[in-house]
Amino acid sequence: MAKQTVVITGAAAGIGRATALEFARAGYLVGAFDIDETGLADLAREIRAGGGEVSTGLLDVTDAEQWDARLAEFAEVASHRLDILVNNAGVLYSGRFEEIPLAEHQRMLDINVGGVVIGSRAAFPYLQATPGSQLVNLCSASAIYGQPELATYGATKFAVRGLTEALELEWRRHRIRVLAVWPLFVNTAMTGNLDMRSADSLGIKLTAADVAKVVVKATRRSHRMLAKVHYPVGRQAGAMMVASRFSPTWLIREINRRISHT
Ligand SMILES: NC(=O)c1ccc[n+]([C@@H]2O[C@H](COP(=O)([O-])OP(=O)(O)OC[C@H]3O[C@@H](n4cnc5c(N)ncnc54)[C@H](O)[C@@H]3O)[C@@H](O)[C@H]2O)c1
């Protein structure tokens, strides 16, 4: 039987990189894509040094033609199977809504939402042709309740949440499982210069490796039987998700107001 395969976007750094390493250790052939060529070369060296298999390629997730080309190339080395696509690439710009340049709002929408839509659509024929395939989207705890100083970023993650829930139902007929992974703040370049008070209140407690472990575990066969859609990462995100289900909206709103000092 051909090796199981995974394609990961934004794989050159942070959560994507850690996820690529974790899947390689688990025996997958990894398709690692990013706009950062140097980061990809460094990742490939590390995977190969550990005895793993990887194929890298330049991919801007907002470019549909690049998606088609990279996936077709990967199919050639992967015996035409795509077991898992991880839509991980994302960008964040925090701060007061009116002070964030419009181009940065647009960039978040294009990459965090557009990239997931284009990528999921481009990968569909490969996922459909691979029995037991899965689509994993990187969501965020900021999709639980709108976050001050993170309004557009949070809105993009609400969109990812909606896409995940809809496709989870829609793609059952194709036997493609769809799920989302929900970290709170993770110690990566993305949170290096966060300009927002809720990060100060809650702290940055997760590592990229913590998230990668949840992604790999969530996609294991045993977890498929449970058919969960949303996977929080860490105790804080888990508690926030449970609280959001069982608390009245006014309370969630008040907690968010206090956390963000607004
Ligand atoms: N870091 C956090 O606190 C956190 C929390 C929740 C969710 N997330 C989500 O996890 C994902 C990864 O975040 P991270 O913290 O690892 O970020 P990161 O900034 O460390 O890495 C992001 C990677 O995406 C790549 N990238 C950026 N634009 C791209 C594009 N147009 N096409 C392809 N690749 C592109 C970058 O080159 C980089 O390698 C994102 O979707 C993010 O929203 C992060």
Side-chain angles (χ1 to χ4, degrees):
M1 200 174 105
K3 209 170 186 176
Q4 292 225 319
T5 69
V6 59
V7 161
I8 303 165
T9 65
I15 294 167
R17 187 179 201 281
T19 304
L21 288 167
E22 195 69 21
F23 272 115
R25 277 193 285 270
Y28 282 72
L29 163 61
V30 177
F33 300 130
D34 202 297
I35 48 173
D36 172 6
E37 209 165 3
T38 314
L40 285 177
D42 186 59
L43 169 72
R45 259 192 304 278
E46 192 169 337
I47 289 180
R48 288 181 188 129
E53 266 190 88
V54 62
S55 168
T56 60
L58 277 181
L59 170 69
D60 178 339
V61 293
T62 64
D63 185 325
E65 280 177 20
Q66 283 187 23
W67 265 107
D68 290 343
R70 293 298 90 79
L71 288 175
E73 287 158 15
F74 185 70
E76 290 301 314
V77 291
S79 308
H80 295 274
R81 64 181 292 162
L82 177 56
D83 291 279
I84 303 172
L85 168 65
V86 183
N87 279 318
N88 165 78
V91 290
L92 177 155
Y93 199 111
S94 60
R96 295 200 172 120
F97 182 79
E98 64 280 10
E99 290 170 9
I100 294 177
L102 189 55
E104 295 296 342
H105 286 289
Q106 193 62 53
R107 202 164 78 92
M108 285 188 273
L109 294 166
D110 290 346
I111 296 173
N112 300 5
V113 185
V116 175
V117 172
I118 298 169
S120 304
R121 200 164 176 281
F124 173 72
Y126 299 98
L127 293 168
Q128 189 188 28
T130 310
S133 61
Q134 304 182 74
L135 172 69
V136 181
N137 293 326
L138 259 292
C139 197
S140 161
S142 59
I144 294 174
Y145 195 89
Q147 295 298 302
E149 298 171 321
L150 215 55
T152 298
Y153 175 81
T156 66
K157 295 300 175 179
F158 269 84
V160 170
R161 174 185 184 159
L163 277 164
T164 305
E165 290 171 353
L167 288 182
E168 193 272 325
L169 295 172
E170 197 174 324
W171 282 3
R172 281 180 187 205
R173 60 194 282 263
H174 301 294
R175 300 189 186 284
I176 302 169
R177 183 181 173 221
V178 183
L179 58 132
V181 173
W182 294 57
L184 187 61
F185 298 117
V186 187
N187 189 7
T188 65
M190 179 175 275
T191 51
N193 43 18
L194 265 187
D195 176 17
M196 57 181 297
R197 277 154 282 191
S198 53
D200 299 336
S201 307
L202 296 166
I204 299 177
K205 302 198 167 118
L206 293 171
T207 65
D210 294 330
V211 185
K213 285 194 178 76
V214 171
V215 174
V216 173
K217 196 169 166 202
T219 53
R220 283 206 189 114
R221 197 165 291 277
S222 55
H223 270 249
R224 278 180 229 172
M225 302 300 160
L226 299 172
K228 245 170 75 168
V229 181
H230 300 301
Y231 287 80
V233 185
R235 265 186 286 178
Q236 280 179 316
M240 285 163 88
M241 271 176 100
V242 171
S244 73
R245 274 188 216 133
F246 298 108
S247 309
T249 311
W250 67 263
L251 181 59
I252 302 293
R253 179 173 164 221
E254 184 57 19
I255 290 170
N256 276 282
R257 193 186 66 73
R258 287 191 186 198
I259 288 173
S260 59
H261 304 282
T262 41

